[in-house]
Amino acid sequence: MRRHLTIATLALLAGVPAAFAQQSLPADVPPVSDNKVDTDTFSKTLVSANRFEIESSKLAEEKGVAADVREFAALMVKDHTKAGQDFKAALERSQTTASVTPEGPPLLPKDQAMLDQLKGLDGEAFQAKYIMLQTEAHKQAVALFSTYARSGDDPALKEFAKKTLPALKMHEKRLRDVAAAH
C-alpha cells in the first residue's frame, strides 16, 4: 500500500484525486523509491504532467471561472511553457538515454483522465475541480523536483530541477491564495 502511495505521489506531477491514487502505473513507468527518482521516470512524468498543466489551464482560460482563477491559469500556461522549453534545453545537454522528447508521448493515462474530467465541467464545478487538481499537482511537483534535484543522476536535468523548483513553490503559494478566496 505504501509503495502504491509513494508511486502515485512521485509519478504524477499533474496531480491525482484520491480516487485515482490506487490505480497502477503504466508498464513503461518504472517504480521509484522513497528518496530517489530515476531519470527516465522523472522525464516521462515531467513531460506528461507539464502538458496536463498547460492543457488544463488553457481550458480554465476558456471556462466560466473567476478572474483570479483565470489569471492563475494564464500564469500556468506561461510558466509551464517556459518549463517545457527549459527542459528541452536541459535534455539536449543531458547524458540521459531516456526515450523522451520534450513534446513527449501522449499524456500518461492518469493525466489524460484528469483532463477528460475537466473537459466535462463548466463554471463553479470546473473551477473547484481545477483548483483541487492544481493543488495536488503542485504538491506532487514539488516532491518530484525536490527528490530529483537532491538525488538525480543526470547533472543537466538535476540542475533543471533545482532551477524550476522555486517557480513550483511559488505556484503552490498562489494556489493557496486562490483556494482560500473560493
Side-chain angles (χ1 to χ4, degrees):
M1 175 80 155
R2 182 168 186 242
R3 181 171 176 250
H4 290 295
L5 291 174
T6 300
I7 291 169
T9 299
L10 294 177
L12 291 178
L13 180 59
V16 175
F20 293 119
Q22 295 300 318
Q23 292 181 358
S24 62
L25 291 173
D28 63 343
V29 177
V32 296
S33 71
D34 288 337
N35 57 8
K36 183 159 176 65
V37 176
D38 66 77
T39 298
D40 193 51
T41 299
F42 176 75
S43 298
K44 287 179 180 176
T45 302
L46 173 127
V47 170
S48 178
N50 203 51
R51 282 188 53 211
F52 169 79
E53 291 284 348
I54 292 167
E55 291 180 31
S56 65
S57 294
K58 284 180 178 178
L59 281 175
E61 290 179 311
E62 300 168 6
K63 301 280 185 164
V65 297
D68 61 337
V69 176
R70 195 171 21 262
E71 181 181 307
F72 177 79
L75 177 67
M76 292 302 92
V77 171
K78 178 177 122 326
D79 285 0
H80 284 276
T81 297
K82 182 182 182 320
Q85 293 164 348
D86 293 348
F87 176 67
K88 180 179 180 179
L91 199 56
E92 289 170 0
R93 293 187 313 274
S94 79
Q95 303 165 357
T96 186
T97 57
S99 60
V100 174
T101 62
E103 295 75 33
L107 291 174
L108 291 174
K110 290 181 183 179
D111 293 333
Q112 185 63 57
M114 291 185 297
L115 188 61
D116 291 344
Q117 286 178 21
L118 287 172
K119 286 179 180 177
L121 301 173
D122 283 303
E124 290 285 324
F126 177 90
Q127 181 171 288
K129 183 66 115 177
Y130 176 75
I131 292 170
M132 182 197 76
L133 292 177
Q134 289 294 325
T135 299
E136 278 302 307
H138 284 87
K139 283 180 190 174
Q140 292 173 5
V142 168
L144 179 72
F145 276 67
S146 294
T147 301
Y148 197 83
R150 185 178 58 254
S151 65
D153 53 5
D154 186 287
L157 297 180
K158 194 172 176 176
E159 185 63 26
F160 162 76
K162 287 178 187 175
K163 286 182 177 179
T164 306
L165 196 52
L168 296 172
K169 288 180 177 181
M170 182 269 296
H171 294 165
E172 259 190 325
K173 182 186 178 322
R174 292 280 303 269
L175 269 164
R176 283 192 296 273
D177 295 343
V178 168
H182 299 282

